[in-house]
Amino acid sequence: MKTPENKKEKKKQLASKGDANDVMENLISLCKRRGFIFQGSDIYGGLAGTWDYGPLGVALKNNVKDIWWKRFVTDREDMYGMDAAILMNQGVWKASGHVGGFSDPLVECQKCKRRFRADQLEPENREKQVCPECGGKLGAERQFNMMFKTHVGAAEDEGSVSYLRPETAQGMFVNFKNVLDTFHPKLPFGMAQIGKAFRNEIAPRDFLFRAREFEQMEIEYFVDPKDWKKSFEHFIGEIRGFAEDVGLPSAKVHEHEIAPADLAHYSRRTIDFEFDWPFGRKELYGLAYRTDFDLKAHSSASGVDLSYYDEEAKTRFVPHVIEPSLGVDRTVLAILADAYREDELGGEKRVFLKLAPSVAPVKIAVFPLLKNKDALTAKAREIYKVLCAEFARGSSGVEYDESGSIGKRYRRQDEIGTPFCVTVDFDTIEKPHNPVTVRDRDTGAQESIPLKDLVSLLAQKLGK
Ligand code: ATP
């Protein structure tokens, strides 16, 4: 029965769903308008679950990957970087359990033919087998394997079957012995890689959140089984540290301990790191204790010994594994969704991205106040060159812009999340100390700085 109370609650829920849709729509439109992210194959009507990163998107994404690589690989002595092939021998996926079990429950509406993931339906729809879109009857649930199948070479027979990898992890397990034999690391040590993963998701949705092609940043950290708890705790802190590095507020990141009954068969402990997305609290990253499941499975299927000899204890055993698994695209989406702001500045509405300087695709923009004054553009270009040498990496980092009015240029930089703009005017050329104006994205406040102090001030503000 619908009481006034639960009617009100329903209305509130619908309203907040509406707000979330608005936020996502506005964000998707900003990403397209400003060259961050486009729908994949857009001019052909798109391809569901694929997204193309434009110039600013790829700069943001590369910043995320660089920060991860620095924290987890370069800054550590116990981590070995990898870049394994996407296509692997089908034996890998049989041994890992993906051929037999990497599936989601699928239901199809008999009326409108739409397909849904059964475990993502409202409980009422699932129980009563009612289509949430058209109200038609849903068919029986069946398991749908999410791996993209393909054939390697000219023959299309069973022997040539391969899959686009649904995770990067297996590329590290099958190279465990290679790293052991070439670098002779002592436990604990890890292998780390960033790369594409492909999943034929039944219902791709929520922009980058659930895509069919995405990137992962994964670590397989090999430990003596008696030490697994210590390493697991260590990576809880490291994942939180990484989220902070890319500017995600820690209050929006939650640890969800998976109940023992719900753990995957190979895992003895898993934590999902969830994020407060505009569309609700859902998984951002995963951290799993996978025991010796993977190395043992590959050892027995390949016939290759994947054990480790502990020289001090004079014992041989198969190491256990702690796996922090982080999605690149979910990180990018979390950053963008959290940074999206609408406010009023100088009596005008504006949209801006409050990006942390560490991930902002453009960190500093340099403008001449007017574009048709040679002395101003020459000075601005000179300063731009100096700032490029100090702060730019590749083609991103520092931008020069002289198009349109100064107000329009500020607006565009606000929308792409540039933390600081430097404006060169006649005072810069004519006055002692050559003052330039530095404008702060978040407050719009402008301060006049002697040119000689500009680099050190920006370095300090950017946390360099
Ligand atoms: P979900 O339950 O949301 O489907 P999952 O538990 O299957 O995720 P994992 O297999 O643990 O995800 O993958 C590790 C990480 O890879 C996830 O935490 C997420 O960041 C990312 N990821 C997984 N699937 C997708 C996807 N379809 N699109 C974008 N990122 C993904």
Side-chain angles (χ1 to χ4, degrees):
M1 197 179 81
K2 280 203 170 83
T3 62
E5 224 15 66
N6 65 31
K7 254 188 190 166
K8 234 195 231 163
E9 190 51 37
K10 190 93 198 160
K11 225 174 162 181
K12 226 165 88 189
Q13 277 174 10
L14 284 176
S16 82
K17 221 173 173 178
D19 292 348
N21 286 344
D22 286 351
V23 172
M24 290 305 289
E25 263 171 37
N26 292 341
L27 185 60
I28 293 169
S29 131
L30 183 148
C31 284
K32 183 173 179 177
R33 190 168 69 244
R34 291 303 185 192
F36 279 88
I37 297 153
F38 311 109
Q39 171 67 63
S41 312
D42 203 9
I43 63 168
Y44 284 94
L47 180 66
T50 66
W51 298 95
D52 293 345
Y53 283 75
L56 294 181
V58 77
L60 168 54
K61 181 155 92 153
N62 283 342
N63 288 340
V64 166
K65 292 196 279 188
D66 287 349
I67 291 169
W68 185 89
W69 194 264
K70 182 173 183 311
R71 173 179 273 273
F72 289 105
V73 183
T74 327
D75 283 356
R76 301 177 61 122
E77 288 179 14
D78 59 350
M79 208 64 87
Y80 295 82
M82 281 292 308
D83 187 10
I86 288 174
L87 293 173
M88 301 177 85
N89 187 305
Q90 55 171 294
V92 172
W93 305 108
K94 286 182 181 160
S96 67
H98 285 81
V99 170
F102 192 61
S103 49
D104 275 338
L106 168 81
V107 280
E108 188 176 270
C109 172
Q110 293 171 353
K111 193 169 157 202
C112 70
K113 304 289 174 208
R114 281 196 183 87
R115 291 173 155 201
F116 304 94
R117 235 177 89 170
D119 57 339
Q120 285 178 350
L121 290 170
E122 294 288 338
E124 212 174 287
N125 291 82
R126 190 174 185 180
E127 272 159 35
K128 296 192 177 147
Q129 293 184 282
V130 177
C131 172
E133 293 292 334
C134 76
K137 184 158 170 50
L138 295 174
E141 284 181 27
R142 65 184 169 90
Q143 288 301 313
F144 172 76
N145 193 301
M146 292 201 293
M147 283 199 294
F148 284 98
K149 203 173 184 178
T150 187
H151 290 271
V152 174
E156 289 210 358
D157 55 20
E158 215 10 67
S160 69
V161 166
S162 186
Y163 304 90
L164 299 185
R165 67 180 178 206
E167 59 175 34
T168 64
Q170 301 304 325
M172 291 182 275
F173 293 126
V174 302
N175 278 289
F176 171 77
K177 188 168 162 27
N178 285 334
V179 169
L180 210 56
D181 291 349
T182 47
F183 293 88
H184 311 289
K186 299 264 164 292
L187 289 184
F189 74 91
M191 293 167 70
Q193 88 168 337
I194 300 178
K196 288 265 183 176
F198 304 83
R199 296 183 187 180
N200 200 359
E201 296 278 357
I202 295 166
R205 57 162 71 172
D206 297 323
F207 196 18
L208 308 173
F209 179 81
R210 190 169 300 287
R212 288 184 168 134
E213 176 175 340
F214 55 97
E215 271 183 284
Q216 292 183 314
M217 306 176 280
E218 292 196 301
I219 291 169
E220 306 308 326
Y221 197 71
F222 301 100
V223 298
D224 185 320
K226 68 177 174 3
D227 298 330
W228 77 268
K229 283 189 178 145
K230 199 169 121 210
S231 292
F232 196 95
E233 291 303 320
H234 166 74
F235 281 109
I236 295 177
E238 284 299 294
I239 289 176
R240 286 211 160 265
F242 169 75
E244 269 174 42
D245 288 349
V246 296
L248 295 178
S250 57
K252 283 191 180 176
V253 179
H254 309 275
E255 283 153 41
H256 172 67
E257 183 85 41
I258 304 298
D262 298 332
L263 287 172
H265 59 284
Y266 51 75
S267 173
R268 230 176 277 160
R269 187 178 177 198
T270 296
I271 288 181
D272 281 353
F273 286 78
E274 298 184 330
F275 186 73
D276 293 325
W277 308 93
F279 41 85
R281 187 177 290 185
K282 289 184 181 168
E283 178 172 332
L284 173 63
Y285 307 135
L287 175 64
Y289 169 37
R290 300 178 65 106
T291 66
D292 54 4
F293 172 82
D294 306 273
L295 288 183
K296 273 201 169 146
H298 286 305
S299 190
S300 87
S302 66
V304 175
D305 179 11
L306 298 178
S307 64
Y308 169 89
Y309 185 67
D310 185 329
E311 279 169 13
E312 269 169 43
K314 307 260 180 277
T315 51
R316 182 168 280 285
F317 59 92
V318 176
H320 282 216
V321 167
I322 308 291
E323 180 190 72
S325 179
L326 283 66
V328 176
D329 312 80
R330 282 196 194 172
T331 309
V332 170
L333 180 59
I335 289 170
L336 288 169
D338 177 63
Y340 185 88
R341 300 281 195 289
E342 291 175 5
D343 72 353
E344 244 185 61
L345 192 67
E348 275 186 52
K349 284 212 160 103
R350 72 160 178 165
V351 169
F352 73 109
L353 291 182
K354 199 170 160 51
L355 294 175
S358 60
V359 293
V362 179
K363 303 189 195 311
I364 307 160
V366 184
F367 312 145
L369 182 64
L370 301 167
K371 86 164 180 188
N372 45 6
K373 300 285 175 201
D374 289 350
L376 282 189
T377 51
K379 190 73 187 164
R381 282 227 167 253
E382 184 190 313
I383 293 173
Y384 165 67
K385 270 198 174 160
V386 171
L387 295 182
C388 277
E390 290 291 333
F391 301 105
R393 221 214 49 206
S395 61
S396 78
V398 185
E399 199 173 276
Y400 174 84
D401 189 6
E402 57 177 33
S403 62
S405 71
I406 191 87
K408 272 210 179 117
R409 284 181 253 163
Y410 281 147
R411 197 122 308 207
R412 176 171 172 272
Q413 296 300 333
D414 285 346
E415 271 204 293
I416 67 172
T418 307
F420 302 104
C421 293
V422 175
T423 302
V424 173
D425 59 23
F426 290 107
D427 284 356
T428 315
I429 301 165
E430 290 159 8
K431 285 208 169 151
H433 308 303
N434 316 100
V436 291
T437 306
V438 176
R439 174 184 177 273
D440 179 286
R441 170 198 66 201
D442 299 342
T443 59
Q446 305 191 5
E447 55 179 321
S448 181
I449 306 287
L451 185 54
K452 70 171 178 33
D453 298 338
L454 183 64
V455 167
S456 60
L457 177 106
L458 287 172
Q460 181 208 334
K461 283 184 187 280
L462 291 167
K464 289 257 171 194

